[in-house]
């Protein structure tokens, strides 16, 4: 594993947001959702495409999530993904989203 400096870590802007809207993404090569996330007044609402089909729309909408907000936008089919949702695979390979375990302000920076 390559070492990263603390300066490298500080370049990554990870924020807490709340999923405000979820839509199906039938054009995606692999099953995915189109997700809109509210990061509060400083960052605003951003979009993401995520292959997290183990979550239903109802489970996602209103959920607090953690995402990287300063990667360049990425074109995924007809959709532009602006942020990267963070998660980790469970033993069955399903992505489990990272999230705060308490209600925190939207846009809060992870450090």
């Amino acid at each position: 594993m390559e070492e990263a400096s603390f300066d490298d870590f500080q370049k990554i802007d990870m924020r807490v947001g709340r999923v405000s809207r979820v839509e199906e993404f039938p054009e995606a090569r692999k099953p995915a959702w189109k997700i809109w996330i509210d990061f509060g007044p400083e960052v605003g609402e951003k979009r993401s495409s995520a292959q997290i089909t183990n979550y239903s729309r109802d489970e996602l909408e209103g959920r607090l999530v953690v995402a990287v907000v300063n990667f360049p936008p990425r074109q995924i089919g007809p959709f532009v993904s602006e942020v990267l949702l963070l998660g980790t695979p469970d033993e069955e390979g399903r992505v489990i989203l990272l999230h705060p375990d308490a209600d925190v302000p939207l846009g809060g920076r992870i450090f």
Side-chain angles (χ1 to χ4, degrees), residues 4 14 34 42 48 50 56 59 63-64 67 78 85 90 94 106 108:
M14 294 177 283
K34 293 178 187 177
E42 184 180 341
S48 183
S56 70
E59 289 174 310
R63 174 186 282 269
L64 288 177
L85 281 172
D90 66 8
R94 298 173 301 187
L106 297 181

Side-chain angles (χ1 to χ4, degrees), residues 12-63:
I12 305 300
D13 191 356
M14 294 177 283
R15 305 278 180 135
V16 174
R18 186 176 306 279
V19 175
S20 56
R21 188 170 95 204
V22 177
E23 292 182 5
E24 293 181 6
F25 192 3
E27 304 91 350
R29 282 189 216 143
K30 294 181 181 178
W33 292 111
K34 293 178 187 177
I35 300 173
W36 284 258
I37 305 163
D38 179 7
F39 290 98
E42 184 180 341
V43 176
E45 186 175 71
K46 299 290 183 178
R47 303 180 302 170
S48 183
S49 172
Q51 296 173 6
I52 50 171
T53 55
N54 51 302
Y55 292 93
S56 70
R57 176 181 284 148
D58 289 341
E59 289 174 310
L60 289 169
E61 288 179 341
R63 174 186 282 269

